[in-house]
Amino acid sequence: QAELRYTLNTQLEQLHMRYTGTGHPDTTKYEWLTHQHRDTAAAIVGHPPLMAYVALADGECQARARFEVMERMVQPCGKPPGKTDE
């Protein structure tokens, strides 16, 4: 039992290290949402048909739409909330 638990925890830690967007117990809501928005924006930029759809929907050329999506990746959810000392 103990060995199985150790193996599962090790696998979970490796998963968290490989994919930062999966979160961990100390991940805040803001961090999680930021990862989700960045992953979505990266998927849109990385798939030309999705990029063409976004450009068509916005009524802009694909280069301008790509630039705007990439700009949103800087702070996709606005400024981070202030740190609270507990």
Side-chain angles (χ1 to χ4, degrees):
Q1 285 287 356
E3 184 177 322
L4 179 62
R5 188 176 312 137
Y6 174 75
T7 303
L8 290 175
N9 285 337
T10 303
Q11 290 174 351
L12 188 61
E13 287 174 5
Q14 289 174 347
L15 176 74
H16 290 309
M17 285 189 304
R18 181 178 290 169
Y19 304 106
T20 59
T22 55
H24 51 82
D26 296 328
T27 301
T28 64
K29 181 178 178 181
Y30 174 79
E31 290 173 343
W32 188 81
L33 285 173
T34 300
H35 286 299
Q36 295 302 314
H37 283 267
R38 282 191 181 133
D39 288 347
T40 301
I44 290 171
V45 170
H47 292 86
L50 285 175
M51 197 68 247
Y53 174 77
V54 169
L56 181 66
D58 289 344
E60 298 177 347
C61 68
Q62 288 188 19
R64 182 66 185 173
R66 175 182 302 261
F67 174 76
E68 289 181 1
V69 170
M70 291 178 72
E71 281 288 310
R72 279 187 265 152
M73 291 175 71
V74 175
Q75 284 188 336
C77 299
K79 293 187 178 184
K83 301 285 183 186
T84 57
D85 294 333
E86 295 179 41

XYZ file of all heavy atoms in Angstrom:
683
model
N 0.826 -1.194 0.000
C 0.000 0.000 0.000
C 0.870 1.257 0.000
O 0.608 2.184 -0.740
C -0.903 0.010 1.240
C -2.069 -0.933 1.171
C -3.143 -0.437 0.206
O -3.040 0.634 -0.354
N -4.161 -1.261 0.026
N 1.850 1.296 0.888
C 2.699 2.473 0.997
C 3.480 2.702 -0.299
O 3.649 3.840 -0.733
C 3.655 2.325 2.176
N 3.944 1.601 -0.906
C 4.697 1.738 -2.155
C 3.800 2.253 -3.285
O 4.202 3.096 -4.066
C 5.302 0.396 -2.553
C 6.173 0.486 -3.791
C 6.810 -0.842 -4.128
O 7.202 -1.558 -3.195
O 6.910 -1.146 -5.313
N 2.568 1.788 -3.341
C 1.625 2.251 -4.358
C 1.325 3.737 -4.172
O 1.298 4.510 -5.138
C 0.326 1.444 -4.287
C -0.763 1.851 -5.280
C -0.278 1.659 -6.709
C -2.032 1.060 -5.034
N 1.126 4.159 -2.924
C 0.860 5.565 -2.638
C 2.056 6.430 -3.036
O 1.898 7.498 -3.614
C 0.541 5.756 -1.160
C 0.060 7.164 -0.839
C -0.336 7.326 0.605
N -1.209 6.269 1.066
C -1.097 5.647 2.241
N -0.168 6.000 3.089
N -1.925 4.693 2.571
N 3.268 5.943 -2.751
C 4.476 6.679 -3.118
C 4.577 6.812 -4.637
O 4.888 7.875 -5.158
C 5.718 5.978 -2.568
C 7.008 6.604 -3.025
C 7.438 7.811 -2.488
C 7.778 6.007 -4.013
C 8.606 8.404 -2.919
C 8.947 6.592 -4.446
C 9.358 7.783 -3.888
O 10.516 8.373 -4.319
N 4.272 5.722 -5.346
C 4.334 5.739 -6.805
C 3.320 6.725 -7.376
O 3.635 7.500 -8.279
C 4.062 4.332 -7.371
O 5.016 3.428 -6.813
C 4.198 4.318 -8.879
N 2.098 6.732 -6.850
C 1.078 7.649 -7.349
C 1.450 9.099 -7.078
O 1.266 9.963 -7.937
C -0.280 7.322 -6.722
C -0.925 6.015 -7.173
C -2.203 5.755 -6.393
C -1.202 6.042 -8.656
N 1.966 9.368 -5.889
C 2.379 10.739 -5.575
C 3.534 11.189 -6.463
O 3.576 12.342 -6.890
C 2.759 10.861 -4.098
C 1.554 10.882 -3.192
O 0.456 11.223 -3.617
N 1.753 10.504 -1.945
N 4.456 10.291 -6.724
C 5.584 10.616 -7.586
C 5.096 10.918 -8.997
O 5.544 11.887 -9.617
C 6.594 9.454 -7.623
O 7.005 9.165 -6.285
C 7.806 9.798 -8.458
N 4.167 10.111 -9.498
C 3.628 10.345 -10.839
C 2.883 11.672 -10.896
O 2.979 12.411 -11.880
C 2.705 9.205 -11.246
C 3.421 7.913 -11.516
C 2.463 6.768 -11.769
O 1.264 6.895 -11.591
N 3.010 5.639 -12.201
N 2.143 11.981 -9.846
C 1.405 13.235 -9.809
C 2.354 14.426 -9.782
O 2.142 15.422 -10.480
C 0.482 13.269 -8.590
C -0.485 14.435 -8.507
C -1.431 14.438 -9.699
C -1.286 14.356 -7.215
N 3.429 14.327 -9.015
C 4.417 15.406 -8.969
C 5.082 15.592 -10.328
O 5.306 16.726 -10.761
C 5.479 15.104 -7.910
C 4.982 15.265 -6.492
C 6.011 14.827 -5.466
O 7.151 14.493 -5.866
O 5.678 14.828 -4.280
N 5.390 14.496 -11.018
C 5.996 14.598 -12.343
C 5.024 15.235 -13.335
O 5.416 16.030 -14.185
C 6.430 13.227 -12.841
C 7.626 12.681 -12.099
C 7.971 11.264 -12.506
O 7.189 10.586 -13.181
N 9.137 10.799 -12.090
N 3.757 14.904 -13.222
C 2.742 15.510 -14.075
C 2.672 17.013 -13.849
O 2.626 17.798 -14.801
C 1.379 14.883 -13.797
C 0.195 15.479 -14.549
C 0.251 15.046 -16.008
C -1.103 15.050 -13.916
N 2.697 17.442 -12.590
C 2.645 18.864 -12.275
C 3.886 19.601 -12.771
O 3.791 20.747 -13.192
C 2.471 19.094 -10.775
C 1.122 18.715 -10.269
N -0.047 19.141 -10.841
C 0.742 17.945 -9.241
C -1.075 18.655 -10.190
N -0.622 17.908 -9.213
N 5.036 18.950 -12.704
C 6.253 19.597 -13.187
C 6.243 19.722 -14.710
O 6.681 20.720 -15.259
C 7.493 18.819 -12.745
C 7.817 19.006 -11.264
S 9.398 18.325 -10.757
C 9.300 16.631 -11.234
N 5.718 18.714 -15.391
C 5.701 18.737 -16.849
C 4.660 19.708 -17.389
O 4.910 20.435 -18.330
C 5.420 17.347 -17.396
C 5.419 17.327 -18.924
C 5.182 15.964 -19.486
N 6.341 15.126 -19.238
C 6.351 13.816 -19.422
N 5.288 13.199 -19.834
N 7.432 13.127 -19.171
N 3.467 19.695 -16.787
C 2.380 20.543 -17.259
C 2.024 21.529 -16.154
O 1.285 21.215 -15.233
C 1.159 19.695 -17.631
C 1.460 18.639 -18.659
C 1.548 17.299 -18.306
C 1.674 18.996 -19.978
C 1.825 16.331 -19.256
C 1.969 18.036 -20.937
C 2.027 16.704 -20.570
O 2.320 15.766 -21.508
N 2.531 22.740 -16.263
C 2.345 23.720 -15.196
C 0.894 24.123 -15.037
O 0.488 24.543 -13.970
C 3.187 24.981 -15.455
O 2.799 25.535 -16.710
C 4.660 24.659 -15.448
N 0.096 23.997 -16.066
C -1.301 24.391 -15.998
C -2.176 23.447 -15.203
O -3.340 23.749 -14.939
N -1.654 22.284 -14.804
C -2.472 21.334 -14.054
C -2.674 21.770 -12.615
O -3.576 21.278 -11.954
C -1.841 19.923 -14.068
O -0.511 20.011 -13.578
C -1.841 19.349 -15.464
N -1.861 22.679 -12.158
C -2.039 23.221 -10.810
C -1.512 22.317 -9.714
O -1.017 21.224 -9.955
N -1.645 22.801 -8.497
C -1.237 22.083 -7.302
C -2.100 22.614 -6.166
O -2.894 23.536 -6.376
C 0.263 22.280 -7.029
C 0.710 23.704 -7.041
N 0.560 24.543 -5.960
C 1.264 24.455 -8.018
C 1.019 25.735 -6.266
N 1.451 25.710 -7.511
N -2.001 22.087 -4.972
C -2.888 22.537 -3.884
C -2.791 24.025 -3.555
O -3.752 24.607 -3.073
C -2.425 21.704 -2.688
C -1.794 20.503 -3.273
C -1.188 20.947 -4.568
N -1.660 24.663 -3.838
C -1.497 26.077 -3.514
C -1.822 27.009 -4.685
O -1.618 28.210 -4.590
C -0.065 26.344 -3.044
C 0.247 25.608 -1.756
O -0.688 25.426 -0.949
O 1.410 25.217 -1.561
N -2.320 26.457 -5.794
C -2.639 27.276 -6.949
C -3.863 28.139 -6.648
O -4.884 27.646 -6.192
C -2.942 26.396 -8.177
O -1.811 25.597 -8.463
C -3.262 27.242 -9.396
N -3.738 29.428 -6.926
C -4.866 30.324 -6.700
C -5.805 30.287 -7.901
O -5.444 29.808 -8.985
C -4.387 31.773 -6.490
O -3.766 32.230 -7.700
C -3.406 31.885 -5.329
N -7.005 30.809 -7.703
C -7.976 30.857 -8.780
C -7.446 31.698 -9.932
O -7.608 31.344 -11.104
C -9.293 31.434 -8.259
C -10.383 31.504 -9.294
C -11.667 32.045 -8.696
C -12.759 32.156 -9.738
N -13.996 32.693 -9.187
N -6.792 32.812 -9.608
C -6.234 33.690 -10.638
C -5.185 32.954 -11.474
O -5.190 33.032 -12.708
C -5.627 34.936 -10.001
C -4.913 35.812 -10.993
C -5.627 36.671 -11.818
C -3.534 35.755 -11.129
C -4.981 37.455 -12.748
C -2.882 36.536 -12.060
C -3.604 37.389 -12.867
O -2.964 38.158 -13.797
N -4.276 32.227 -10.819
C -3.231 31.492 -11.542
C -3.846 30.437 -12.452
O -3.422 30.266 -13.595
C -2.264 30.830 -10.563
C -1.378 31.799 -9.821
C -0.567 31.113 -8.744
O -0.916 29.970 -8.347
O 0.413 31.693 -8.282
N -4.843 29.717 -11.947
C -5.482 28.663 -12.726
C -6.167 29.257 -13.956
O -6.016 28.748 -15.070
C -6.482 27.898 -11.860
C -7.024 26.699 -12.546
C -6.442 25.472 -12.662
C -8.273 26.614 -13.236
N -7.254 24.638 -13.376
C -8.384 25.311 -13.741
C -9.303 27.518 -13.470
C -9.484 24.896 -14.471
C -10.400 27.091 -14.194
C -10.484 25.797 -14.687
N -6.898 30.347 -13.776
C -7.573 30.990 -14.903
C -6.569 31.539 -15.911
O -6.788 31.461 -17.126
C -8.484 32.116 -14.413
C -9.784 31.679 -13.769
C -10.518 32.879 -13.175
C -10.667 30.958 -14.752
N -5.476 32.083 -15.421
C -4.445 32.604 -16.316
C -3.872 31.488 -17.182
O -3.707 31.649 -18.391
C -3.325 33.287 -15.510
O -3.904 34.365 -14.770
C -2.235 33.831 -16.409
N -3.587 30.335 -16.578
C -3.084 29.191 -17.343
C -4.105 28.755 -18.391
O -3.741 28.460 -19.539
C -2.763 28.009 -16.422
C -1.521 28.190 -15.621
N -0.282 28.353 -16.177
C -1.323 28.223 -14.290
C 0.625 28.484 -15.231
N 0.011 28.416 -14.067
N -5.380 28.705 -18.021
C -6.414 28.278 -18.958
C -6.515 29.239 -20.140
O -6.597 28.814 -21.294
C -7.766 28.169 -18.250
C -7.821 27.090 -17.184
C -7.499 25.719 -17.724
O -7.994 25.319 -18.767
N -6.645 24.986 -17.032
N -6.505 30.520 -19.866
C -6.613 31.511 -20.942
C -5.393 31.471 -21.851
O -5.519 31.576 -23.081
C -6.793 32.917 -20.363
C -8.171 33.188 -19.881
N -9.131 33.769 -20.667
C -8.777 32.939 -18.695
C -10.263 33.881 -19.985
N -10.057 33.380 -18.775
N -4.199 31.313 -21.269
C -2.988 31.248 -22.091
C -2.969 29.986 -22.947
O -2.552 30.020 -24.106
C -1.747 31.311 -21.213
C -1.452 32.708 -20.747
C -0.086 32.834 -20.104
N 0.105 34.202 -19.654
C 0.570 34.521 -18.465
N 0.930 33.588 -17.615
N 0.694 35.790 -18.125
N -3.397 28.868 -22.384
C -3.451 27.628 -23.156
C -4.418 27.761 -24.327
O -4.139 27.303 -25.437
C -3.871 26.458 -22.273
C -2.784 26.029 -21.307
O -1.630 26.458 -21.473
O -3.096 25.254 -20.380
N -5.568 28.391 -24.086
C -6.549 28.577 -25.150
C -5.994 29.484 -26.241
O -6.112 29.188 -27.434
C -7.846 29.176 -24.579
O -8.356 28.291 -23.579
C -8.882 29.373 -25.665
N -5.369 30.588 -25.845
C -4.793 31.513 -26.825
C -3.684 30.832 -27.623
O -3.582 31.019 -28.845
C -4.266 32.764 -26.138
N -2.864 30.033 -26.971
C -1.787 29.324 -27.664
C -2.357 28.315 -28.659
O -1.820 28.143 -29.759
C -0.878 28.628 -26.664
N -3.452 27.662 -28.298
C -4.089 26.707 -29.206
C -4.653 27.432 -30.426
O -4.563 26.941 -31.554
C -5.187 25.940 -28.485
N -5.239 28.609 -30.204
C -5.795 29.379 -31.329
C -4.683 29.815 -32.269
O -4.799 29.684 -33.491
C -6.596 30.587 -30.805
C -7.876 30.111 -30.126
C -6.917 31.555 -31.931
C -8.628 31.199 -29.390
N -3.604 30.341 -31.722
C -2.487 30.806 -32.559
C -1.825 29.628 -33.266
O -1.402 29.754 -34.411
C -1.464 31.586 -31.706
C -0.196 31.869 -32.478
C -2.076 32.887 -31.222
N -1.759 28.481 -32.626
C -1.078 27.317 -33.188
C -1.851 26.555 -34.238
O -1.288 25.704 -34.923
N -3.140 26.823 -34.381
C -3.953 26.120 -35.377
C -4.473 27.127 -36.402
O -5.372 27.920 -36.095
C -5.124 25.398 -34.709
C -4.693 24.255 -33.852
N -4.325 24.421 -32.533
C -4.550 22.943 -34.123
C -3.990 23.242 -32.032
N -4.108 22.336 -32.977
N -3.932 27.099 -37.600
C -4.321 28.080 -38.618
C -5.829 28.172 -38.898
O -6.334 29.281 -39.075
C -3.544 27.627 -39.859
C -2.353 26.921 -39.302
C -2.843 26.231 -38.056
N -6.590 27.064 -38.927
C -8.034 27.217 -39.162
C -8.732 27.998 -38.038
O -9.626 28.811 -38.307
C -8.559 25.784 -39.230
C -7.380 24.963 -39.600
C -6.208 25.636 -38.975
N -8.313 27.789 -36.785
C -8.890 28.566 -35.686
C -8.501 30.031 -35.802
O -9.320 30.924 -35.548
C -8.414 28.014 -34.337
C -9.038 26.715 -33.862
C -8.362 26.243 -32.582
C -10.511 26.895 -33.637
N -7.265 30.279 -36.210
C -6.821 31.654 -36.372
C -7.602 32.340 -37.484
O -7.987 33.512 -37.366
C -5.319 31.656 -36.683
C -4.632 32.955 -36.484
S -4.535 33.431 -34.765
C -5.586 34.833 -34.771
N -7.868 31.618 -38.572
C -8.646 32.177 -39.671
C -10.068 32.487 -39.216
O -10.636 33.520 -39.591
C -8.672 31.201 -40.851
N -10.635 31.622 -38.383
C -11.984 31.859 -37.870
C -12.029 33.110 -36.990
O -12.936 33.936 -37.120
C -12.461 30.637 -37.083
C -13.784 30.852 -36.404
C -14.958 30.818 -37.128
C -13.851 31.115 -35.042
C -16.187 31.032 -36.511
C -15.061 31.332 -34.423
C -16.229 31.280 -35.158
O -17.429 31.500 -34.549
N -11.059 33.264 -36.110
C -11.011 34.441 -35.233
C -10.851 35.707 -36.063
O -11.514 36.722 -35.814
C -9.866 34.307 -34.202
C -9.617 35.608 -33.473
C -10.184 33.204 -33.210
N -9.989 35.661 -37.081
C -9.779 36.824 -37.936
C -11.054 37.173 -38.695
O -11.426 38.349 -38.794
C -8.638 36.563 -38.915
N -11.741 36.178 -39.203
C -12.983 36.412 -39.932
C -14.056 36.979 -39.012
O -14.765 37.921 -39.364
C -13.465 35.109 -40.568
C -14.745 35.194 -41.389
C -14.499 36.059 -42.614
C -15.206 33.814 -41.784
N -14.159 36.423 -37.812
C -15.169 36.891 -36.860
C -14.905 38.327 -36.416
O -15.848 39.095 -36.204
C -15.203 35.966 -35.645
N -13.642 38.709 -36.296
C -13.288 40.071 -35.889
C -13.263 41.036 -37.069
O -13.171 42.253 -36.867
C -11.921 40.100 -35.193
C -11.956 39.479 -33.819
O -13.058 39.309 -33.275
O -10.862 39.169 -33.282
N -13.286 40.508 -38.296
C -13.236 41.348 -39.479
C -11.877 41.974 -39.699
O -11.770 43.106 -40.172
N -10.822 41.251 -39.346
C -9.460 41.753 -39.495
C -8.631 40.751 -40.268
O -9.046 39.612 -40.477
C -8.832 41.990 -38.120
C -9.541 43.025 -37.288
C -8.933 43.165 -35.909
O -8.137 42.294 -35.514
O -9.264 44.149 -35.237
N -7.439 41.181 -40.673
C -6.540 40.243 -41.338
C -5.974 39.279 -40.290
O -5.985 39.553 -39.090
C -5.427 40.978 -42.068
S -4.260 41.818 -41.005
N -5.474 38.156 -40.780
C -4.991 37.134 -39.846
C -3.779 37.607 -39.053
O -3.635 37.251 -37.883
C -4.656 35.848 -40.597
C -5.890 35.118 -41.080
C -5.558 33.749 -41.642
O -4.491 33.192 -41.368
N -6.472 33.203 -42.418
N -2.927 38.388 -39.652
C -1.734 38.867 -38.942
C -2.133 39.756 -37.770
O -1.576 39.648 -36.669
C -0.808 39.616 -39.889
N -3.106 40.644 -37.989
C -3.555 41.530 -36.909
C -4.246 40.729 -35.810
O -4.054 40.973 -34.616
C -4.500 42.599 -37.466
C -4.972 43.582 -36.445
C -3.804 44.405 -35.959
N -4.245 45.278 -34.889
C -3.449 46.023 -34.172
N -2.158 46.032 -34.430
N -3.898 46.772 -33.218
N -5.073 39.753 -36.197
C -5.767 38.927 -35.211
C -4.766 38.114 -34.390
O -4.893 37.997 -33.169
C -6.768 38.001 -35.907
N -3.734 37.582 -35.067
C -2.689 36.821 -34.357
C -1.973 37.714 -33.350
O -1.731 37.322 -32.209
C -1.691 36.250 -35.346
C -0.502 35.540 -34.712
C 0.451 35.060 -35.776
N -0.219 34.170 -36.692
C -0.143 32.838 -36.609
N 0.593 32.276 -35.693
N -0.797 32.083 -37.460
N -1.648 38.941 -33.766
C -0.979 39.882 -32.881
C -1.843 40.166 -31.652
O -1.354 40.169 -30.521
C -0.675 41.185 -33.632
C -0.120 42.265 -32.766
C 1.200 42.223 -32.351
C -0.913 43.314 -32.340
C 1.722 43.213 -31.539
C -0.412 44.307 -31.528
C 0.914 44.259 -31.124
N -3.132 40.409 -31.847
C -4.017 40.719 -30.728
C -4.171 39.532 -29.777
O -4.200 39.709 -28.554
C -5.371 41.185 -31.236
C -5.303 42.567 -31.857
C -6.646 43.059 -32.336
O -7.653 42.332 -32.177
O -6.688 44.185 -32.864
N -4.266 38.321 -30.317
C -4.369 37.130 -29.452
C -3.081 36.957 -28.655
O -3.112 36.664 -27.457
C -4.691 35.868 -30.282
C -4.568 34.615 -29.435
C -6.086 35.962 -30.875
N -1.955 37.187 -29.285
C -0.680 37.052 -28.584
C -0.505 38.151 -27.542
O 0.077 37.924 -26.485
C 0.478 37.028 -29.569
C 0.497 35.752 -30.397
S 1.796 35.689 -31.619
C 3.207 35.448 -30.585
N -1.018 39.339 -27.802
C -0.974 40.420 -26.816
C -1.805 40.060 -25.578
O -1.421 40.389 -24.456
C -1.510 41.719 -27.427
C -0.519 42.431 -28.309
C 0.600 43.074 -27.514
O 0.300 43.789 -26.545
O 1.763 42.839 -27.868
N -2.923 39.383 -25.795
C -3.769 38.988 -24.665
C -3.110 37.937 -23.787
O -3.517 37.739 -22.644
C -5.117 38.452 -25.159
C -6.092 39.558 -25.488
C -7.435 39.004 -25.798
N -7.501 38.866 -27.250
C -8.222 37.982 -27.901
N -8.958 37.123 -27.258
N -8.218 37.927 -29.210
N -2.089 37.264 -24.299
C -1.403 36.246 -23.514
C -0.533 36.857 -22.417
O -0.171 36.168 -21.466
C -0.549 35.348 -24.412
C -1.373 34.458 -25.313
S -0.386 33.505 -26.465
C 0.389 32.338 -25.373
N -0.219 38.141 -22.504
C 0.641 38.785 -21.504
C -0.066 38.806 -20.151
O 0.468 38.350 -19.147
C 1.046 40.202 -21.955
C 1.819 40.900 -20.859
C 1.862 40.140 -23.223
N -1.260 39.359 -20.102
C -2.072 39.357 -18.882
C -3.503 39.027 -19.266
O -4.344 39.914 -19.397
C -2.012 40.708 -18.170
C -0.742 40.958 -17.430
C -0.802 42.222 -16.589
O -1.567 43.134 -16.836
N 0.033 42.254 -15.571
N -3.796 37.738 -19.475
C -5.111 37.366 -19.994
C -6.267 37.651 -19.043
O -7.395 37.831 -19.485
C -4.975 35.871 -20.267
C -3.871 35.419 -19.405
C -2.941 36.582 -19.270
N -6.015 37.713 -17.755
C -7.082 37.929 -16.784
C -6.925 39.243 -16.053
O -7.419 39.411 -14.931
C -7.111 36.778 -15.776
S -7.434 35.197 -16.527
N -6.222 40.181 -16.632
C -6.013 41.471 -15.966
C -4.835 41.399 -15.000
O -4.101 40.431 -14.939
N -4.723 42.462 -14.229
C -3.619 42.533 -13.266
C -3.841 41.515 -12.148
O -4.982 41.274 -11.735
C -3.495 43.928 -12.697
C -3.068 44.942 -13.723
C -2.787 46.278 -13.098
C -2.305 47.230 -14.176
N -1.913 48.521 -13.639
N -2.760 40.941 -11.623
C -2.908 39.974 -10.540
C -3.452 40.647 -9.280
O -3.162 41.817 -9.018
C -1.500 39.432 -10.311
C -0.592 40.348 -11.024
C -1.372 41.093 -12.036
N -4.239 39.907 -8.512
C -4.768 40.485 -7.275
C -3.641 40.725 -6.283
O -2.582 40.105 -6.343
C -5.732 39.425 -6.764
C -5.272 38.147 -7.391
C -4.666 38.532 -8.699
N -3.867 41.642 -5.357
C -2.867 41.937 -4.339
C -2.627 40.739 -3.431
O -3.507 39.923 -3.201
N -1.432 40.640 -2.957
C -1.075 39.548 -2.038
C -1.661 39.817 -0.662
O -1.554 40.930 -0.137
C 0.446 39.416 -1.915
C 1.125 39.146 -3.230
C 0.911 37.731 -3.665
C 1.661 37.472 -4.963
N 1.392 36.193 -5.513
N -2.262 38.804 -0.077
C -2.790 38.941 1.275
C -1.895 38.178 2.226
O -1.541 37.027 1.983
C -4.227 38.401 1.375
O -4.224 37.026 0.949
C -5.157 39.189 0.480
N -1.490 38.801 3.291
C -0.651 38.139 4.301
C -1.563 37.500 5.335
O -2.410 38.143 5.929
C 0.263 39.148 4.999
C 1.287 39.724 4.034
O 1.627 39.014 3.045
O 1.721 40.862 4.231
N -1.364 36.192 5.488
C -2.212 35.460 6.452
C -1.418 35.097 7.672
O -0.294 34.880 7.690
C -2.777 34.217 5.795
C -3.722 34.567 4.668
C -4.268 33.321 4.006
O -4.581 32.371 4.739
O -4.386 33.294 2.802
